[in-house]
Amino acid sequence: MLKDVVRTKTYQNVIYKNSFLFKDKVVLDVGAGTGILSLFCAKVGAKHVYAIECSSMADMAQEIVKLNGFSDVITVIKGKVEEIDLPVPQVDIIISEWMGYFLLYENMLDTVLYARDKWLVKDGLVLPDKASLCLTAIEDADYKEDKIEFWNSVYGFDMSCIRKQAMMEPIVDTVDQNQIVTNCQLLKTMDISKMTSGDASFTAPFKLIAERDDYIHALVAYFDVSFTKCHKLLGFSTGPKSRSTHWKQTVLYLEDVITVCQGEAVVGSMTVAPNKKNPRDVDIMLKYSVNGKHCRVSRTQYYRMR
């Protein structure tokens, strides 16, 4: 993730180019990892940074902080946000890189919202403060044949039961922008500074318009994040038309191969919610229909990111 230049450089620019936001402020870094965001904040004059990390990486972060001479400014706390006590009653800023695949996978957003409600001072900052989930459609015959249809006949044997499983699992991969057949549509925008935990579960309608005559094999989801409280708007996109990130895109293969003509629409809705048995997983229900010149279809499909 440190080598993900889009991710790390954006956070560095947010902090370095808006040092006035951090100067003499108490900062909470949620899910600190190596502590890179905490180091950025300390370098621009934060009064104190509390870096919370529940994995064994916390020990390494502690050493990195010491190696770089910030032991008096950065306190690394090992543990879960929901179980630890902070040495201070409030913080001025919460910064976190909480986004997972499909934005919501691993459900770290809930942890950020918990920290916000417990420790953030009134009118304090949450960075980033906006996140948006977007959708488009692609032609992907070769990959679908290789990864999905393969199971219909494996050395002459029917293994289609595995195909059913493969269809239900969204694939995280890099999509070539030349595969995109339709427009891209905003599905959901989240305001991290105001939203509640329940807002991460939603149903959103979509209408994807074909920009050329082609086939559609899958829908593709990606997300954008924004830091709107900066002097100049900053952020990044994980979309197929943007510079690639470690999040890539999330591909949801369709049971149907949809034939579309330019101007025809794929309409439907997407319902997203944490899995009830394992809240780190994401359940997705996709409803879609097409009523075109060469293709008429209506279907509901279920997926689970795990």
Side-chain angles (χ1 to χ4, degrees):
M1 284 194 287
L2 287 173
K3 288 183 178 179
D4 184 338
V5 176
V6 174
R7 161 202 181 265
T8 311
K9 198 73 183 170
T10 300
Y11 276 89
Q12 186 186 45
N13 285 338
V14 165
I15 296 164
Y16 283 14
K17 293 182 178 180
N18 296 274
S19 56
F20 66 94
L21 292 175
F22 296 86
K23 183 77 173 158
D24 299 325
K25 294 291 196 299
V26 178
V27 181
L28 179 62
D29 181 0
V30 175
T34 58
I36 186 68
L37 303 186
S38 296
L39 292 165
F40 290 158
C41 294
K43 192 164 183 180
V44 297
K47 182 180 179 182
H48 204 90
V49 184
Y50 295 98
I52 306 177
E53 174 57 46
C54 69
S55 76
S56 57
M57 185 57 74
D59 302 322
M60 202 60 73
Q62 184 82 59
E63 198 171 326
I64 291 167
V65 167
K66 187 178 178 183
L67 275 172
N68 288 277
F70 286 111
S71 295
D72 56 335
V73 181
I74 301 172
T75 300
V76 178
I77 301 172
K78 188 176 183 179
K80 291 185 176 180
V81 166
E82 294 84 355
E83 296 173 1
I84 61 108
D85 291 315
L86 277 186
V88 291
Q90 289 184 313
V91 299
D92 302 301
I93 298 171
I94 292 176
I95 194 164
S96 180
E97 193 275 88
W98 55 267
M99 300 79 70
Y101 298 127
F102 189 71
L103 183 62
L104 297 168
Y105 179 59
E106 293 191 325
N107 200 28
M108 210 181 127
L109 175 57
D110 268 4
T111 300
V112 174
L113 300 181
Y114 176 91
R116 179 201 69 187
D117 293 344
K118 186 170 183 180
W119 290 302
L120 189 64
V121 69
K122 190 175 184 290
D123 298 325
L125 293 181
V126 181
L127 300 170
D129 59 317
K130 294 278 171 63
S132 303
L133 193 64
C134 304
L135 195 68
T136 189
I138 60 165
E139 179 282 320
D140 203 14
D142 293 344
Y143 201 96
K144 189 182 180 192
E145 185 66 35
D146 181 45
K147 297 295 181 186
I148 308 291
E149 307 306 342
F150 165 81
W151 297 107
N152 288 328
S153 178
V154 182
Y155 297 98
F157 295 98
D158 184 346
M159 296 192 183
S160 56
C161 54
I162 295 180
R163 181 191 180 279
K164 289 178 186 175
Q165 186 67 33
M167 282 294 295
M168 287 183 68
E169 295 187 10
I171 292 174
V172 175
D173 205 351
T174 301
V175 171
D176 188 319
Q177 63 175 316
N178 294 323
Q179 294 175 263
I180 297 172
V181 177
T182 69
N183 63 321
C184 301
Q185 187 181 330
L186 175 66
L187 271 184
K188 172 79 171 176
T189 297
M190 299 177 188
D191 184 338
I192 319 305
S193 59
K194 296 175 183 173
M195 69 181 285
T196 66
S197 174
D199 294 338
S201 299
F202 61 89
T203 298
F206 63 82
K207 184 177 183 180
L208 299 173
I209 309 292
E211 295 179 339
R212 62 174 187 247
D213 297 355
D214 211 331
Y215 301 100
I216 292 172
H217 298 90
L219 298 190
V220 174
Y222 62 92
F223 65 87
D224 302 341
V225 295
S226 305
F227 300 79
T228 70
K229 299 297 189 286
C230 297
H231 177 64
K232 179 182 169 187
L233 179 65
L234 291 167
F236 60 84
S237 174
T238 63
K241 293 181 180 179
S242 301
R243 188 175 174 184
S244 63
T245 70
H246 75 278
W247 288 285
K248 302 178 183 177
Q249 291 89 42
T250 301
V251 183
L252 299 95
Y253 284 103
L254 306 178
E255 283 286 356
D256 308 282
V257 176
I258 297 173
T259 309
V260 287
C261 297
Q262 185 176 357
E264 291 181 351
V266 181
V267 297
S269 66
M270 182 179 280
T271 300
V272 177
N275 181 267
K276 286 184 172 63
K277 289 183 180 175
N278 184 354
R280 288 167 61 88
D281 295 354
V282 181
D283 288 338
I284 303 165
M285 180 176 73
L286 179 67
K287 292 183 178 181
Y288 63 90
S289 63
V290 180
N291 187 9
K293 182 179 175 184
H294 301 294
C295 184
R296 292 185 180 185
V297 65
S298 183
R299 191 184 291 274
T300 299
Q301 284 185 236
Y302 298 89
Y303 306 85
R304 181 175 171 184
M305 286 210 72
R306 55 180 164 189

